[in-house]
Amino acid sequence: MTDTATQPAPTRPALNKDTKLCISLAARPSNFGTRFHNYLYEQFGLDFVYKAFTTTDLAGAIGGVRALGIRGCSVSMPFKEDVIALVDELDASATAIQSVNTIVNDDGFLRAYNTDYIAAAELLRSNALDPATPFLLRGSGGMAKAVAAALRDSGFADGTIIARNERSGRALADELGYGWLAEPGTATAPLLVNVTPIGMAGGAQAAESAFTAGAVAASDTVFDVVALPAETPLILAARAAGKTVITGAEVIALQAAEQFERYTGLRPTPERVLAASAFARA
């Protein structure tokens, strides 16, 4: 159902025995999902609540989702692949990359999705990027796999995976039919994609850029999935050079909106997604 409401947000019901629970499972839980989803529950007046957890017993946690009727479960690292054996069905988005970040519980039947993949594909489409565009993608982890698979399935055939880890980098490149480089060197392409922690707040490489100034200058579009901060050194350099940018804030908000729709059956407007994202990041 599409959200077309323009009236003031209704009041969310008080917590009660029938309140539906959605959760997240991660090694290091963050506040983003909790704040994003609960903000939208309040906006829609939904009898839902969202809570973040960590676990050392994944099978027990997923068994609890099923047994307790928990409506939805967001899955983060390091559980995205191990959870596959514990669900009943994989959506095409999860099958495409053999990685799960969203579980929906329908009366004990657990269906799994990957909304990172869905969000990346939607951002490629909404930014009208030509599939004939060559790209460089830096990274080879789970999120890199989601974005690279979205590129492939969106028709982008001319790409290179850049990853220092030769084993995972070559494996991802070979699986999707792309080239591989250990380091970016002097390589350039019209589309640059960063799917590494380079530029992430608090990280050892927070002040670095995933691509050189020369690569940015030679590009047309720069896509950086780092969400905290969304204005990474790479994005700032691309904006200064007048390039089209796609930020991690867009990715995290869109994938969370996809989760919200699957849990509740309601699709928030873009304006509400932006408001929820801003609230979650504040």
Side-chain angles (χ1 to χ4, degrees):
M1 182 185 301
T2 301
D3 167 26
T4 58
T6 57
Q7 293 81 15
T11 302
R12 183 164 65 170
L15 293 176
N16 63 86
K17 66 181 179 61
D18 296 318
T19 299
K20 291 182 174 64
L21 174 63
C22 293
I23 69 170
S24 64
L25 294 174
R28 294 185 295 176
S30 77
N31 283 324
F32 183 90
T34 301
R35 291 173 62 81
F36 182 97
H37 287 275
N38 283 314
Y39 176 91
L40 286 177
Y41 298 156
E42 185 76 30
Q43 291 293 304
F44 282 94
L46 295 174
D47 192 10
F48 276 72
V49 67
Y50 190 104
K51 178 71 173 68
F53 294 93
T54 189
T55 184
T56 57
D57 181 2
L58 182 63
I62 299 303
V65 170
R66 192 192 302 273
L68 297 175
I70 294 170
R71 171 57 179 164
C73 178
S74 172
V75 182
S76 296
M77 294 300 292
F79 307 126
K80 291 185 175 185
E81 295 179 359
D82 291 344
V83 78
I84 290 173
L86 304 173
V87 301
D88 299 308
E89 181 179 286
L90 295 183
D91 175 71
S93 59
T95 301
I97 56 176
Q98 288 298 295
S99 178
V100 166
N101 80 334
T102 303
I103 298 171
V104 178
N105 181 5
D106 288 312
D107 297 323
F109 186 88
L110 304 185
R111 184 174 288 104
Y113 303 81
N114 193 297
T115 63
D116 290 330
Y117 169 93
I118 294 169
E122 172 58 23
L123 286 167
L124 294 171
R125 185 202 64 78
S126 63
N127 282 275
L129 297 183
D130 184 352
T133 303
F135 70 86
L136 300 174
L137 183 148
R138 191 165 184 182
S140 61
M143 186 65 178
K145 190 173 184 180
V147 177
L151 283 158
R152 177 201 60 187
D153 294 346
S154 298
F156 290 77
D158 187 359
T160 301
I161 305 298
I162 301 171
R164 291 178 182 176
N165 186 320
E166 181 173 358
R167 181 172 175 274
S168 62
R170 279 191 182 277
L172 179 58
D174 290 346
E175 178 183 347
L176 299 179
Y178 295 135
W180 169 78
L181 290 173
E183 298 286 350
T186 58
T188 62
L191 172 60
L192 303 179
V193 186
N194 176 48
V195 201
T196 74
I198 297 173
M200 184 179 293
Q205 299 165 303
E208 297 181 23
S209 176
F211 292 95
T212 66
V216 171
S219 72
D220 298 319
T221 303
V222 173
F223 184 177
D224 193 340
V225 303
V226 171
L228 296 170
E231 295 297 310
T232 61
L234 177 61
I235 291 294
L236 290 172
R239 288 194 193 281
K243 309 301 180 180
T244 297
V245 300
I246 305 171
T247 72
E250 296 174 76
V251 178
I252 195 171
L254 184 53
Q255 72 82 22
E258 293 286 344
Q259 289 181 327
F260 181 88
E261 181 176 9
R262 283 159 179 78
Y263 297 158
T264 68
L266 296 171
R267 181 71 181 191
T269 63
E271 293 76 17
R272 275 185 166 162
V273 172
L274 285 173
S277 181
F279 177 81
R281 292 164 57 82

